């Protein structure tokens, strides 16, 4: 079976530290981390294999001053794709982003500069988005004569609602700063999005992997189900997770009164 150490990556960089925190870096800064077909294939590979590694959490970041400028417009222009070709391109984007969202490994996106078009589609497949004061979000597809193809109609609409998404696409409206947090594009606004993303990743890595697997796959799956089916699936997942061996010492500590309490600092 292939593992992450078998991967040979050109457009991404993958580093894993001794604590099992992976860093996936979009590594085409000269092209503002635009997503060409080769990068998307590397995202498919990385996020297919991460859940089967010992990685406990992942920070997704961009090299350079922008997170990602979205679809590689120059490649798309020169490829002169047919409708069917581009449909298949989009299906590979979905494959990559679904592996992220449903893979069970917490993915925390450290955002800066442009998070636009397909870059926002990528960021919206992460479980947590951290922005800094340089970060801005846009969906310039309309202005480029394009439409979203990497899942924005599902994930961005889910984050901010369809009215705001339609406004972004029709008018070219950009969101940044506190307003971006208020509408739901990011959960954190900080001075240093990478430092905060690692802090969150390290906190998440303290949880048992099976709990994180459920949090970072079951919730997304359940959102796709009817309430009746989701409640059933929740009970099944809780049956497995809440009786795991790794929970026993934590529950014992609580029962003995030695566990940390859930209180604001
Ligand atoms: C690119 C791309 C790209 C930059 N594809 N090459 N996305 C957009 O409409 C955003 C397009 N990009 C920009 O608006 C700007 O580049 C940025 C605001 C992101 C950055 O500006 P800046 O001044 O820092 O860089 P730059 O000078 O514009 O670009 C530097 C290089 O990156 C340049 O290449 P060079 O060879 O001339 O040096 C640019 O061509 C290249 N570059 N962005 C290809 N996007 C599944 S459907 C999804 C549909 C979409 O994502 S639509 C949104 C597309």
């Amino acid at each position: 079976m292939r593992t992450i150490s078998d991967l040979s990556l050109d457009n991404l960089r993958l580093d894993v530290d001794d604590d099992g925190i992976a860093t996936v870096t979009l590594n085409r800064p000269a092209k503002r981390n635009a997503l060409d077909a080769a990068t998307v294939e590397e995202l498919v590979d990385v996020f297919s294999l991460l859940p089967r590694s010992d990685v406990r959490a992942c920070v997704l970041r961009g090299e350079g001053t922008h997170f990602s400028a979205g679809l590689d417009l120059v490649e798309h222009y020169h490829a002169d794709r047919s409708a069917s070709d581009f449909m298949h391109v989009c299906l590979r984007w979905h494959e990559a982003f679904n592996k992220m969202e449903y893979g069970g490994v917490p993915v925390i996106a450290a955002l800066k500069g442009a998070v636009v078009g397909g870059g926002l589609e990528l960021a919206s497949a992460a479980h947590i988005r951290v922005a800094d004061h340089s970060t801005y979000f846009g969906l310039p597809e309309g202005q480029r004569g394009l439409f979203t193809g990497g899942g924005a109609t599902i994930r961005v609409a889910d984050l901010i609602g369809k009215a705001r998404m339609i406004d972004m696409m029709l008018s070219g409206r950009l969101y940044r700063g506190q307003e971006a947090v208020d509408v739901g594009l990011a959960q954190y606004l900080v001075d240093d999005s990478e430092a905060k993303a690692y802090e969150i990743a390290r906190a998440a890595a303290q949880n048992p992997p099976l709990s994180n697997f459920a949090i970072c796959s079951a919730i997304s799956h359940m959102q796709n189900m009817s309430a009746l089916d989701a409640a059933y699936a929740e009970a099944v997942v809780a049956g497995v997770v809440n009786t795991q061996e790794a929970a026993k010492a934590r529950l014992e500590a609580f029962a003995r009164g030695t566990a940390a309490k859930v209180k604001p600092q």
Side-chain angles (χ1 to χ4, degrees):
M1 195 169 69
R2 276 200 322 160
T3 69
I4 50 174
S5 52
D6 298 323
L7 289 174
S8 134
L9 302 169
D10 294 320
N11 299 337
L12 301 181
R13 219 175 49 232
L14 173 61
D15 304 288
V16 183
D17 73 11
D18 292 341
D19 300 323
I21 309 293
T23 303
V24 175
T25 301
L26 304 170
N27 199 20
R28 296 179 78 215
K31 300 295 176 189
R32 305 306 184 254
N33 299 319
L35 300 172
D36 62 356
T39 304
V40 172
E41 289 308 316
E42 292 187 12
L43 287 168
V44 172
D45 284 344
V46 166
F47 286 104
S48 298
L49 295 178
L50 272 192
R52 285 184 273 127
S53 68
D54 290 329
V55 163
R56 298 182 71 111
C58 170
V59 171
L60 175 66
R61 63 181 290 278
E63 194 62 49
T65 48
H66 296 280
F67 176 72
S68 173
L71 175 70
D72 190 316
L73 297 169
V74 178
E75 178 188 68
H76 184 58
Y77 170 67
H78 289 298
D80 196 20
R81 292 162 169 141
S82 68
S84 160
D85 290 342
F86 197 67
M87 177 188 73
H88 285 290
V89 168
C90 292
L91 289 172
R92 297 305 287 164
W93 285 50
H94 295 317
E95 180 74 7
F97 298 174
N98 288 341
K99 293 286 184 209
M100 279 174 66
E101 182 182 349
Y102 294 87
V105 175
V107 179
I108 296 99
L111 304 174
K112 59 189 161 183
V115 184
V116 302
L120 176 51
E121 294 183 300
L122 169 63
S124 67
H127 301 100
I128 299 178
R129 279 156 296 284
V130 183
D132 70 17
H133 296 284
S134 74
T135 309
Y136 61 95
F137 300 88
L139 289 173
E141 279 84 346
Q143 288 75 55
R144 302 283 184 220
L146 303 173
F147 188 67
T148 57
T153 54
I154 301 136
R155 294 191 182 92
V156 177
D158 194 38
L159 289 176
I160 65 175
K162 76 176 176 184
R164 287 196 187 94
M165 180 181 170
I166 290 171
D167 176 27
M168 288 176 81
M169 293 187 73
L170 288 178
S171 69
R173 179 174 184 168
L174 302 177
Y175 282 101
R176 62 195 171 96
Q178 187 57 42
E179 193 182 21
V181 175
D182 292 344
V183 299
L185 286 164
Q187 288 109 307
Y188 296 88
L189 174 65
V190 292
D191 290 334
D192 183 341
S193 57
E194 291 191 8
K196 185 68 183 175
Y198 282 108
E199 182 190 317
I200 297 166
R202 291 191 186 288
Q206 302 305 310
N207 302 334
L210 189 61
S211 294
N212 283 345
F213 177 82
I215 294 163
C216 295
S217 68
I219 294 172
S220 290
H221 278 292
M222 285 161 192
Q223 293 294 304
N224 301 331
M225 299 177 189
S226 69
L228 192 66
D229 289 337
Y232 177 77
E234 185 188 66
V236 174
V237 172
V240 174
V241 175
N242 296 8
T243 56
Q244 65 178 313
E245 197 56 37
K248 290 205 169 120
R250 293 166 190 245
L251 294 172
E252 186 186 346
F254 186 80
R256 289 180 189 278
T258 56
K261 297 195 180 186
V262 182
K263 279 185 174 174
Q265 299 288 331

